[in-house]
């Protein structure tokens, strides 16, 4: 039964996502970085223009952590639970 505010990733989805993330360098994603557009559409957290170049560093650090989480879970054949709250 789904619980509002949560989403689950089964081990196969985690492994697939870990593989995709591991093969996608941050610099490739950063090519699409547009702080003005992100602020305009309200991408959380609303730091994109305010923090200037620091906001790109924020994304880089958090992307590295995201990759680590998925790779670790995949290595242990685990699923993941995501919270939207």
């Amino acid at each position: 039964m789904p619980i509002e505010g949560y989403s689950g990733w089964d081990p196969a989805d985690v492994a697939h996502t870990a593989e995709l993330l591991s093969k996608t360098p941050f610099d490739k994603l950063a090519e699409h970085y547009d702080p003005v557009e992100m602020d305009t559409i309200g991408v959380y957290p609303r730091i994109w223009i305010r923090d200037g170049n620091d906001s790109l560093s924020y994304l880089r650090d958090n992307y590295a952590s995201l990759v680590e989480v998925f790779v670790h879970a995949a290595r242990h054949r685990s699923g993941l639970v995501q919270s939207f709250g």
Side-chain angles (χ1 to χ4, degrees), residues 33-52 55:
Y33 176 66
D34 184 342
V36 173
E37 178 67 14
M38 292 167 75
D39 258 9
T40 299
I41 63 173
V43 174
Y44 177 86
R46 299 191 69 155
I47 63 168
W48 311 114
I49 292 174
R50 183 195 75 197
D51 290 2
S55 60

Side-chain angles (χ1 to χ4, degrees), residues 4-38:
E4 187 175 331
Y6 291 90
S7 177
W9 298 63
D10 68 30
D13 288 338
V14 169
H16 179 71
T17 303
E19 181 180 354
L20 290 175
L21 291 173
S22 295
K23 291 180 181 178
T24 308
F26 179 80
D27 291 339
K28 184 69 176 168
L29 297 176
E31 292 173 9
H32 304 281
Y33 176 66
D34 184 342
V36 173
E37 178 67 14
M38 292 167 75

